[in-house]
Amino acid sequence: MTHLEKSPYPATARATGGRGGASCMDWRGLLFTSAAMCALGLVLFAARGYAQVAPAAAASAPAAEDSRIRPFRINIPKAQLVDLRRRIAATRWPDKETVADQSQGAQLAKLQELVRYWGSGYDWRKAEAKLNALPQFTTTIDGVDIHFIHVRSRHKNALPVIVTHGWPGSVVEQLKIIAPLTDPTAHGGSADDAFDVVVPSLPGYGFSGKPTGTGWDPDHIAQAWAELMKRLGYTRYVAQGGDWGTPISSAMARQGAAGLLGIHINLPATVPPEVAAALGGAAPLPANLTDKERAVVDALMTSGKKGTLAYFTMMTARPQTVGYGATDSPAGLAAWVLVHPGFAQWTYGGDPEKSPTKDDVLDDITLYWLTNTAASSARLYWENGARGSVIVAAAQKTGEIALPVAITVFPEDVYRPPETWARRAYRNLIYFHEVDKGGHFAAWEQPELFAAELRAAFRSLRPAQ
């Protein structure tokens, strides 16, 4: 599917050197536990002590694992693109939904329009060229090939940052922030704001390898990312993540990854134990909540009642089952990706100037299709399983994070934490900012703003010049 070739990039641009079965879920899979504790479509993990599950043994690395950094280049065979269009043309469509909104899922007319464009006007080769214009590599860590983009800044003393995507994102989601971060002087910043940027594909996603055994949960991926940065020769760096990138970056900080200076996250784990208990129906709602905190609770409860996180429940419980339809049908894959609440306000390319565009989203969906990663990517939800909610402070053990933490809240994200909860959750919170635009896919939607937030968030962590 991919073709490894000698890297076309100059040397200065190249690097050197089983727990499934969540039964009920609230919003964004943010709070979940056993069926007996489910209430209002919300679930509790931290309220009465979340389950203590021994982490799965990480796959042991082969004795002679190849730790080299290998150049990587994409070259999808034409036959695969022809097959994709054939399958799109043969789509068997369901009947139209019986409501006038998205409450039953992706709406037929909108999805048909997008998929028909996918099968006629869309050109994967443009996406392939954009990716191949960047330095790409693979390296084997714990028996799995990890694909990553690595762009060094031309500015001296650039701060290395590893940026982690989530689902249904990919490295495509991060492409628009690379230039603002590596070349800040061309994007409203100064040379002192420059970053070297590393964007890996999660195991089971995109051009990374697919784990053949269990154990690749956020903690294991965090360890792999620390090893990756070590192999790249970085002794001081920062990490950024949203969606799955948040628990992964947070695990790096909690584990004290060598050289890690601090992290920046969106979708942070800030829900206090007493609020988690109330959301799960195990206790009354605290009486001393501020108006802003109560509004956040109301939003979580409303989303839970609407079943917004049904996809999360299914992938956590039965990722293999999800994979069959999404692997066999392009339309099925597109509908499954677009059920994510981060796409709730997306206009299906109605405004070609608004990011992500129709082609941007199809670049991402096509990457999933061509790499056959619908099932393997879903397994990350199963791997996380009983480890706990991604927004509950106790479940994510935020109290164990001593390194500096920075948070940006985007107004259209699926969870907008109040600053009061953030300061309780992270004892070394060095930056908290609520911006005026952007949503769950902030790097995709507002790349210039996102880059500016990273510059501001990490400025205090840069070594003195």
Side-chain angles (χ1 to χ4, degrees):
M1 180 176 299
T2 62
H3 183 197
L4 299 184
E5 302 176 359
K6 184 177 180 181
S7 173
Y9 309 104
T12 54
R14 299 202 301 267
T16 59
R19 295 144 304 279
S23 57
C24 180
M25 149 120 19
D26 81 329
W27 193 93
R28 173 78 187 99
L30 307 174
L31 308 158
F32 60 86
T33 186
S34 66
M37 298 174 71
C38 295
L40 294 176
L42 304 170
V43 274
L44 167 68
F45 230 94
R48 290 180 288 183
Y50 54 86
Q52 299 294 324
V53 179
S60 58
E65 180 171 274
D66 184 357
S67 62
R68 293 175 302 160
I69 305 295
R70 304 180 295 274
F72 181 89
R73 188 171 177 82
I74 304 165
N75 185 9
I76 299 297
K78 182 179 178 180
Q80 291 193 32
L81 302 178
V82 171
D83 178 68
L84 171 58
R85 289 196 169 190
R86 178 188 63 79
R87 288 171 179 266
I88 289 172
T91 299
R92 182 187 183 196
W93 293 100
D95 55 309
K96 185 179 183 295
E97 62 278 358
T98 57
V99 293
D101 56 26
Q102 301 179 66
S103 61
Q104 292 183 356
Q107 294 171 287
L108 180 65
K110 290 182 177 179
L111 187 64
Q112 281 183 324
E113 182 181 1
L114 179 69
V115 172
R116 285 168 181 162
Y117 170 72
W118 191 12
S120 58
Y122 171 76
D123 185 0
W124 162 258
R125 295 302 185 194
K126 292 180 180 179
E128 190 173 88
K130 282 190 293 186
L131 288 165
N132 283 337
L134 297 168
Q136 297 177 86
F137 306 90
T138 60
T139 189
T140 305
I141 302 176
D142 291 349
V144 173
D145 287 344
I146 301 299
H147 163 263
F148 62 99
I149 296 168
H150 183 203
V151 183
R152 293 184 184 272
S153 174
R154 63 185 175 86
H155 295 292
K156 184 180 179 181
N157 299 320
L159 178 63
V161 59
I162 182 167
V163 184
T164 306
H165 67 82
W167 187 93
S170 65
V171 295
V172 169
E173 182 187 344
Q174 317 295 349
L175 294 182
K176 296 181 182 181
I177 63 172
I178 293 175
L181 291 175
T182 58
D183 190 12
T185 56
H187 296 268
S190 70
D192 292 339
D193 291 323
F195 292 87
D196 282 357
V197 177
V198 179
V199 185
S201 296
L202 291 170
Y205 287 68
F207 295 108
S208 279
K210 302 172 186 177
T212 57
T214 62
W216 279 93
D217 60 5
D219 282 4
H220 189 174
I221 297 171
Q223 294 166 1
W225 279 192
E227 174 63 20
L228 173 60
M229 296 304 276
K230 178 182 176 182
R231 291 185 188 181
L232 294 176
Y234 290 128
T235 58
R236 296 171 64 87
Y237 66 94
V238 293
Q240 196 287 325
D243 198 89
W244 281 117
T246 291
I248 291 167
S249 299
S250 299
M252 293 178 72
R254 192 176 67 249
Q255 294 165 2
L260 183 64
L261 302 175
I263 64 173
H264 174 276
I265 52 178
N266 35 316
L267 197 69
T270 63
V271 175
E274 68 275 13
V275 174
L279 289 171
L285 195 64
N288 61 345
L289 295 178
T290 66
D291 290 345
K292 190 166 188 176
E293 292 168 346
R294 188 172 294 275
V296 172
V297 171
D298 289 344
L300 290 173
M301 295 181 73
T302 298
S303 292
K305 291 176 182 178
K306 290 181 177 179
T308 306
L309 265 290
Y311 78 94
F312 195 110
T313 305
M314 191 62 186
M315 289 201 289
T316 300
R318 300 292 184 269
Q320 189 70 15
T321 297
V322 168
Y324 292 109
T327 297
D328 186 63
S329 166
L333 173 63
W336 187 251
V337 165
L338 294 173
V339 77
H340 190 284
F343 283 114
Q345 305 302 318
W346 186 54
T347 61
Y348 286 76
D351 181 355
E353 301 300 317
K354 188 174 182 181
S355 184
T357 66
K358 180 164 55 177
D359 285 301
D360 290 338
V361 173
L362 287 174
D363 289 346
D364 184 63
I365 297 173
T366 307
L367 180 60
Y368 276 85
W369 178 266
L370 295 175
T371 56
N372 192 15
T373 49
S376 58
S377 61
R379 293 187 192 115
L380 179 54
Y381 289 76
W382 185 90
E383 288 286 354
N384 189 65
R387 282 177 172 76
S389 160
V390 298
I391 65 165
V392 171
Q396 293 300 316
K397 303 178 183 179
T398 59
E400 297 179 17
I401 298 176
L403 288 175
V405 175
I407 294 171
T408 299
V409 178
F410 294 90
E412 297 175 10
D413 204 348
V414 291
Y415 171 61
R416 296 170 293 281
E419 185 173 0
T420 49
W421 290 359
R423 296 203 174 277
R424 282 185 60 183
Y426 301 97
R427 53 183 159 133
N428 195 1
L429 184 67
I430 62 168
Y431 183 87
F432 184 95
H433 190 208
E434 297 181 66
V435 295
D436 60 356
K437 54 188 175 181
H440 187 71
F441 303 111
W444 221 1
E445 299 164 7
Q446 300 292 335
E448 296 285 348
L449 174 60
F450 189 89
E453 282 298 294
L454 263 63
R455 294 178 202 141
F458 289 131
R459 192 162 288 141
S460 66
L461 300 184
R462 290 179 179 271
Q465 303 296 321

